[in-house]
Amino acid sequence: MTAMEVGSAPPLTERPTWKALEEHYHKIRHLHLRQIFADDPQRGTRLTAEAAGLHLDYSKHRVTDETLELLLRLADDRGLAERIDAMFSGQKINVTEQRAVLHIALRAPVGERIVVDGADVVPAVHAVLDRMATFTDAVRGGRWKGHTGRPIRNIVNIGIGGSDLGPVMAYEALRHYSRRDMTFRFISNIDGTDFVETTRDLDPQETLFVVCSKTFTTLETLTNAHTARAWCLRALGDEEAVRRHFVAVSTNAEGVAKFGIDPANMFEFWDWVGGRYSMDSAIGLSTMLAVGPEHFRAMLAGFHAMDRHFRTTPLDRNLPVIMGLLAVWYTDFFGAETVAVLPYDQYLKRFPAYLQQLTMESNGKHVTLDGARVDYQTSPIVWGEPGTNGQHSFYQLIHQGTELIPCHFIAFCQSLNPLDGHHDLLMANVFAQTEALAFGKTAGEVESEGTPARLVPHRVFEGNRPTTTILADRLTPEILGSLVALYEHSVFTQGVIWDIDSFDQWGVELGKALAQRIGGELQGDGPPAGGHDSSTTALMRRYLQSRSGSAR
Ligand code: G6Q
């Protein structure tokens, strides 16, 4: 089924497959996980799946076999298998921008053929990877020298959104594998504090800036890059220094040259890579500089293993499909508004922030592919923090609040830092939390512990809180790749069900345009131009007064 055919078919909520799920939801919405587990002693092993080094336990979900069957029928009805093929074969499934969506080509092995507009893109992907590796080896080997002949010790990535969140997350996730005698930093915010605090203790002679911008027009990134240039030239005093201290990652060679970066020092990617899907393109240069080409390629192999699984495995055993369908189930039938992502690994501390963009920028959409207003909820809000820290703050609401919050627990059986006793205790918390969330504690159980009657209601846990557990042996570069690809494809699955374009981001574009206009007014001499509402005008005036020192 093509995108257009899906778009012109009956709207989602009028389809028999959707109606069947609605009816089924009303039948099982009060069914408790205590009952579901009691009815099927094998459930904990039956509702699991494995792929690309990841073990998915989805048994603690408020689903029966019938629910899963109905969700899979919905996926068939939406043409999911055909849409997966359409993505992998380079069709222009980003319909509003008329672009192919081929982050999967970034991790395709040599010899695979993926054709866009008549040309196989895989050789170009590998040519860039090879250039990145050569450059990385030169920097890490001390052969790439700064302007004064000193080796590079500090890498500063300048980028924002998709050109920042992936690199930051990947660097933190793979810090264990990174060069400890080098410093890796990230500047994204236009707030000058970000630049000043990030560069405060760095020596410009030993610092290399990697300016990452797909368009090379983004205000924050260009402003920070200009500031970095001035910072560098102030210390090194010679325009020539830019060649040794700046490289760019972009699709816009002209913009890069205009900025003054030698196009020979530019690493290319392509318009068929979305910003939030670009951490495995040249946008990952800082990651490669941190962990080396071999680990970077291992990460790509992990991505690819999950891609293969997603493309070839029947939908009922397909990890991203199962996760995507469960997200739809809670979002649209239970009315759950958020999903908590809870990595029990300190190295994944930026993973929830990365997933916020991946999920919410992709599926936070209000119209279908053909422009009709949806009458159902699209993307859930994603949030989270690493465990066990979150347990001492917001888990209270997940356990006993009035919101239903499906949670993803992500954990590794082997620690990369095995301190005596720590890891068993960390994992004990994973298992204890998912058990408590599912099964809760009844009033009878609370009473039998000798709790005074007036406290019983306060100490009851209703349970029936759904969780997904994702386990892997160790956090390796391969596993990070599989994990990210798992979420990428789960997001795609949800977008297919909702019939939306998961690959555009008009909301982001709006912000870029608005700030340009007001920025111009604030930097002009006179009072703000008219045309704003009274609140915005008053706020701008208040700001200008304070800035000129006349505010009381
Ligand atoms: C990602 C979005 C957005 C983008 C940034 C940076 O999918 O498009 O987050 O990555 O706005 O854009 P540039 O890379 O073009 O600077």
Side-chain angles (χ1 to χ4, degrees), residues 160-163 213-215 218 221 275-276 357 361 505 508 512:
I160 195 164
S163 300
S213 177
K214 180 173 168 179
T215 54
T218 305
T221 301
R276 55 195 173 276
Q357 183 192 25
E361 202 169 275
Q505 57 282 314
V508 179
K512 291 187 180 183

Side-chain angles (χ1 to χ4, degrees), residues 107-311:
R107 51 264 191 159
V110 179
E112 209 162 281
R113 251 179 85 74
I114 300 173
V115 175
V116 182
D117 294 331
D120 179 6
V121 297
V122 179
V125 166
H126 284 276
V128 173
L129 276 172
D130 290 345
R131 279 191 62 224
M132 287 165 66
T134 305
F135 175 72
T136 296
D137 286 339
V139 172
R140 287 163 59 98
R143 295 189 304 284
W144 177 281
K145 303 260 195 280
H147 185 63
T148 59
R150 303 249 288 263
I152 297 298
R153 291 192 200 291
N154 315 309
I155 306 292
V156 180
N157 189 85
I158 297 181
I160 195 164
S163 300
D164 169 71
L165 287 160
V168 178
M169 182 278 287
Y171 168 65
E172 291 295 344
L174 300 179
R175 190 188 267 255
H176 178 78
Y177 304 88
S178 72
R179 275 283 288 264
R180 301 303 182 133
D181 57 346
M182 292 176 73
T183 305
F184 297 89
R185 305 247 172 106
F186 300 84
I187 297 174
S188 54
N189 202 332
I190 197 152
D191 180 351
T193 300
D194 201 7
F195 185 88
V196 169
E197 289 296 343
T198 305
T199 54
R200 181 174 290 278
D201 58 347
L202 301 184
D203 181 345
Q205 297 182 81
E206 302 181 339
T207 301
L208 175 79
F209 290 95
V210 180
V211 185
C212 284
S213 177
K214 180 173 168 179
T215 54
F216 228 77
T217 58
T218 305
L219 182 74
E220 290 89 335
T221 301
L222 289 194
T223 306
N224 278 320
H226 279 289
T227 301
R229 200 169 186 278
W231 178 84
C232 199
L233 294 184
R234 224 174 9 253
L236 304 178
D238 183 352
E239 278 284 333
E240 271 298 292
V242 174
R243 288 189 51 240
R244 308 304 299 170
H245 293 270
F246 284 81
V247 296
V249 179
S250 190
T251 58
N252 177 1
E254 213 177 290
V256 169
K258 208 162 130 211
F259 176 85
I261 295 178
D262 186 346
N265 294 341
M266 175 183 132
F267 298 86
E268 184 197 4
F269 66 118
W270 306 272
D271 75 354
W272 40 261
V273 183
R276 55 195 173 276
Y277 296 88
S278 66
M279 60 168 274
D280 47 349
S281 71
I283 291 289
L285 184 60
S286 60
T287 316
M288 194 189 269
L289 285 160
V291 302
E294 233 172 87
H295 285 314
F296 193 84
R297 287 185 195 275
M299 181 182 82
L300 297 184
F303 269 102
H304 182 66
M306 184 55 75
D307 294 344
R308 237 184 5 241
H309 166 79
F310 182 53
R311 189 172 194 187

Side-chain angles (χ1 to χ4, degrees), residues 322-388:
I322 294 168
M323 280 183 57
L325 292 176
L326 287 169
V328 171
W329 175 235
Y330 291 112
T331 303
D332 293 300
F333 297 93
F334 281 88
E337 291 183 334
T338 81
V339 168
V341 177
L342 310 167
Y344 276 63
D345 191 298
Q346 192 61 21
Y347 286 126
L348 289 185
K349 66 179 182 193
R350 296 287 293 176
F351 194 59
Y354 170 76
L355 283 188
Q356 281 181 331
Q357 183 192 25
L358 179 69
T359 312
M360 291 157 70
E361 202 169 275
S362 296
N363 286 341
K365 307 288 163 66
H366 70 297
V367 294
T368 60
L369 289 172
D370 62 0
R373 181 78 164 81
V374 299
D375 61 352
Y376 44 86
Q377 194 67 33
T378 59
S379 179
I381 296 157
V382 175
W383 58 286
E385 283 287 324
T388 58

Side-chain angles (χ1 to χ4, degrees), residues 340-344 383-401 403 405 407-410 429-430 432-434 436-437 461 465 467:
V341 177
L342 310 167
Y344 276 63
W383 58 286
E385 283 287 324
T388 58
N389 296 6
Q391 289 175 208
H392 300 267
S393 76
F394 55 79
Y395 279 37
Q396 166 64 37
L397 185 149
I398 303 177
H399 280 287
Q400 287 190 307
E403 284 281 329
I405 303 177
C407 299
H408 296 184
F409 285 75
I410 302 170
N429 277 281
V430 174
Q433 287 295 329
T434 63
L437 287 164
F461 290 77
R465 269 60 170 170
T467 59

